[in-house]
Amino acid sequence: MSIKLTTQAYCKMLLHAAKYPHCAVNGLLVAEKQKEKKKDSHSTPILCVDCIPLFHGTLALAPMLEVALTLIDTWCKENKYVIAGYYQANERTKDFRPNQFAEKVGARIAENFSEAAMIMVDSTRFTMGCYEPILTIYDHHENKWKCRDCNADCFEDWCEAQKITSALLEGRSYESLIDFDNHLDDLRNDWTNPEINKSVLHLC
Amino acid sequence: MSFLYCLNPEKHKLRKWREDNHRNSEQIVDVGEELINEHASKLGDDIWIIYEQVMIAALDCSRDDLAWTCLQELKRQFPGSQRVKRLAGMRLEALEKYEDANKQYDSILQDDPTNTAARKRKISILKAQGKSAEAIRELNEYLEQFVGDQEAWHELSELYINEHDYGKAAFCLEELMMTNPHNHLYCEQYAEVKYTQGGLENLELSRKYFAQALKLNNRNMRALFGLYMSASHIAASPKVNATVKKANVKYATWATNQINRAYQLAGRGTKENKCSVKAVEEMLESITMS
């Protein structure tokens, strides 16, 4: 039932928030598609291997979100991924609770993936050193979103995630992070962020 | 003039960012701090506007030390200036001293009740405190007096969108489109709001405005995608007759081909690009099949 994050997924989420500190940002998390449905599949956590940053600024408009979901869905199918989660960081630092829009998008994702998670970024605890995980994870239970504590267990390797995210923040890698908005501004901008993925691997 | 630019490419950068209203505060601080510290004497009168620009960027980056330095220089050069007073207020806002900031702006407004900058800062404080309803109310009042303030209309449209009040957001964008009929961005944003409102009538309006945005700027990808989305939703609706359906299939198909072309032009055969092209092909198939 629970999701875990890889370093790459966590990293890109935080870089997205760091690139636009004065805006709300949001994005999707993808996991590898499970081949068979094991009987005890709910005991193995779902690993979110990557993160697709979507928009910054005014989030609550439908058309570009639908476009993004359509294109990213195709990309997922090609790479045997499934959209497993949604993240959002609100415009105001002190505002880290999910709003109506986050719940709507989360519910939409949960329609296609029952164990989908909604993740809110807590900007008040956002530091360059990344000493603690700054996420709140919400799971979808009976049409409600239930909050779950986020600690080192929510990561594939928290020490690695902390170290690498901090290094990339110091190196201002967020300046080259591409979100879907950047892609719509110029189609040559690649929202899969291959350069940043390389940097993450490099530091592993 | 060009001689000076050769000497100071940084000065030129700062000017461009000022003119384009970029909020790339970290870069402005990097470039501006060096200019101020190393080359102040060569900047002439431009130094004052640079102090202002760097100060605001420094506030964005929590560099109160740098902001304070800039503010002191400006206070010294322009004692009693309302513009500098406003900057002092912004510094208080950055330190979250909202009561003190409000007092600062109120004192500006006492001397000059038409000072729009101070009024807008007060509204920004409400926004920062999460008091959206109040911010919206104050901004509406402001716009009754200063009906030509485009920045304010745009800010109001965003506040309404965040409250999911799409009807009122659309009204604000209509004001902007009336006064800026050639601005493709306003057309496109209006179309997005109408689309989000939903319902067949709004979808048709959104399609028309996406098309209008494209006419004004045929490279606006959001407008192109929006045209595809709205036209295909209309075509798929059970409420439309065969003629309308046929017309919208035509629009959607045209849009898809244009999107395809745009990706081919942009593509360097990257993996992600191939996926986008594939997604667009699937979009085309799905319309022609229905």
Side-chain angles (χ1 to χ4, degrees):
Chain A
M1 260 313 197
S2 50
I3 63 153
K4 273 192 182 222
L5 298 170
T6 59
T7 296
Q8 183 165 300
Y10 186 64
C11 222
K12 284 155 83 171
M13 245 195 295
L14 263 64
L15 288 175
H16 193 203
K19 187 180 181 186
Y20 299 106
H22 57 285
C23 293
V25 300
N26 66 359
L28 301 174
L29 292 159
V30 298
E32 281 171 356
K33 200 164 185 163
Q34 302 290 325
K35 290 203 183 103
E36 332 101 31
K37 267 220 154 157
K38 307 190 194 106
K39 282 263 154 96
D40 61 346
S41 65
H42 55 260
S43 61
T44 40
I46 292 146
L47 187 62
C48 286
V49 296
D50 205 357
C51 147
I52 316 281
L54 287 180
F55 305 109
H56 55 271
T58 312
L59 303 182
L61 289 174
M64 297 307 125
L65 177 60
E66 285 186 36
V67 172
L69 287 171
T70 310
L71 290 185
I72 293 166
D73 213 35
T74 306
W75 177 79
C76 279
K77 290 201 181 90
E78 292 283 304
N79 292 282
K80 307 240 180 1
Y81 285 151
V82 65
I83 297 177
Y86 168 79
Y87 73 86
Q88 186 171 302
N90 290 326
E91 186 179 5
R92 287 177 55 236
T93 325
K94 299 198 172 125
D95 191 5
F96 49 79
R97 278 156 313 158
N99 55 16
Q100 197 188 41
F101 183 72
E103 295 191 355
K104 257 198 188 153
V105 182
R108 169 100 176 249
I109 295 173
E111 276 172 25
N112 288 336
F113 186 74
S114 53
E115 285 117 1
M118 177 175 56
I119 295 181
M120 296 302 294
V121 180
D122 182 358
S123 301
T124 54
R125 294 183 292 149
F126 199 159
T127 61
M128 293 293 273
C130 299
Y131 300 117
E132 47 166 355
I134 60 171
L135 311 178
T136 323
I137 303 183
Y138 293 80
D139 301 309
H140 208 211
H141 282 296
E142 294 154 14
N143 276 325
K144 288 210 188 99
W145 290 100
K146 270 176 99 174
C147 180
R148 189 196 349 141
D149 238 348
C150 180
N151 48 36
D153 285 336
C154 300
F155 296 85
E156 191 184 30
D157 183 343
W158 168 244
C159 285
E160 181 192 75
Q162 182 266 321
K163 207 180 66 184
I164 293 179
T165 307
S166 179
L168 290 181
L169 283 171
E170 293 279 346
R172 296 212 201 165
S173 292
Y174 46 82
E175 286 174 359
S176 57
L177 182 95
I178 301 293
D179 65 9
F180 205 78
D181 257 332
N182 301 137
H183 177 72
L184 291 172
D185 291 335
D186 184 340
L187 292 184
R188 293 167 298 183
N189 287 330
D190 190 343
W191 44 263
T192 61
N193 289 288
E195 292 304 317
I196 295 194
N197 293 345
K198 266 191 221 147
S199 310
V200 172
L201 266 170
H202 222 57
L203 290 168
C204 274
Chain B
M1 270 299 249
S2 53
F3 175 63
L4 274 173
Y5 284 158
C6 288
L7 274 185
N8 286 323
E10 271 72 40
K11 197 170 125 179
H12 186 55
K13 266 191 223 169
L14 282 179
R15 184 168 135 173
K16 183 158 198 315
W17 292 333
R18 233 172 18 241
E19 287 171 0
D20 293 344
N21 213 358
H22 271 177
R23 197 169 172 170
N24 52 335
S25 299
E26 271 190 316
Q27 285 180 307
I28 293 173
V29 163
D30 282 346
V31 171
E33 190 170 22
E34 195 191 308
L35 260 188
I36 291 169
N37 288 339
E38 319 276 316
H39 307 285
S41 50
K42 300 192 203 121
L43 294 173
D45 274 336
D46 280 342
I47 193 165
W48 308 114
I49 201 159
I50 288 175
Y51 272 129
E52 183 183 44
Q53 183 183 13
V54 172
M55 184 197 163
I56 295 174
L59 292 179
D60 238 1
C61 299
S62 292
R63 284 288 310 275
D64 192 47
D65 57 321
L66 179 57
W68 181 250
T69 309
C70 295
L71 185 58
Q72 295 319 299
E73 293 296 323
L74 287 166
K75 271 187 179 163
R76 201 171 305 147
Q77 182 70 9
F78 306 102
S81 150
Q82 304 287 45
R83 188 161 159 175
V84 176
K85 256 186 162 176
R86 168 193 159 231
L87 289 174
M90 283 177 79
R91 181 179 163 268
L92 292 167
E93 282 185 66
L95 296 169
E96 292 184 89
K97 295 185 173 160
Y98 296 124
E99 251 189 68
D100 291 338
N102 265 320
K103 283 199 192 121
Q104 186 84 340
Y105 299 135
D106 284 334
S107 99
I108 296 178
L109 287 168
Q110 242 179 8
D111 289 338
D112 176 13
T114 67
N115 190 303
T116 55
R119 275 186 79 167
K120 287 198 271 192
R121 285 321 310 166
K122 284 179 66 102
I123 294 170
S124 301
I125 291 177
L126 290 171
K127 202 178 155 190
Q129 295 173 310
K131 298 178 178 166
S132 323
E134 274 184 65
I136 288 176
R137 196 172 46 239
E138 293 291 314
L139 196 41
N140 267 301
E141 261 183 52
Y142 171 86
L143 280 165
E144 274 173 31
Q145 253 192 290
F146 301 99
V147 80
D149 190 332
Q150 295 181 23
E151 181 190 58
W153 279 114
H154 201 255
E155 180 66 42
L156 187 55
S157 78
E158 282 184 15
L159 287 174
Y160 277 132
I161 291 170
N162 288 333
E163 298 299 305
H164 306 288
D165 198 338
Y166 300 111
K168 299 216 178 90
F171 177 79
C172 297
L173 287 162
E174 280 162 13
E175 284 289 328
L176 286 166
M177 287 195 295
M178 260 201 314
T179 47
N180 302 273
H182 298 294
N183 186 315
H184 65 106
L185 294 172
Y186 293 151
C187 268
E188 183 258 302
Q189 281 172 16
Y190 180 74
E192 284 199 57
V193 170
K194 281 292 159 194
Y195 182 106
T196 310
Q197 262 184 299
L200 189 56
E201 232 180 88
N202 286 323
L203 268 179
E204 289 190 316
L205 256 178
S206 95
R207 192 207 64 229
K208 290 190 179 135
Y209 279 91
F210 280 129
Q212 178 65 8
L214 269 175
K215 247 209 251 176
L216 295 169
N217 180 344
N218 61 9
R219 296 211 310 233
N220 186 328
M221 279 313 293
R222 288 182 180 79
L224 197 46
F225 272 117
L227 178 59
Y228 162 76
M229 298 293 293
S230 49
S232 44
H233 277 308
I234 297 170
S237 165
K239 296 185 194 157
V240 300
N241 61 39
T243 327
V244 172
K245 188 181 161 106
K246 199 167 164 205
N248 280 282
V249 168
K250 222 175 83 185
Y251 301 139
T253 310
W254 178 86
T256 319
N257 288 325
Q258 293 299 308
I259 294 170
N260 228 329
R261 238 182 95 217
Y263 272 109
Q264 307 287 6
L265 279 172
R268 291 160 295 183
T270 60
K271 201 161 159 227
E272 174 276 325
N273 184 270
K274 288 206 181 94
C275 287
S276 298
V277 170
K278 184 157 195 287
V280 170
E281 283 168 7
E282 284 180 11
M283 274 160 39
L284 182 55
E285 281 171 26
S286 73
I287 324 163
T288 50
M289 276 200 306
S290 59

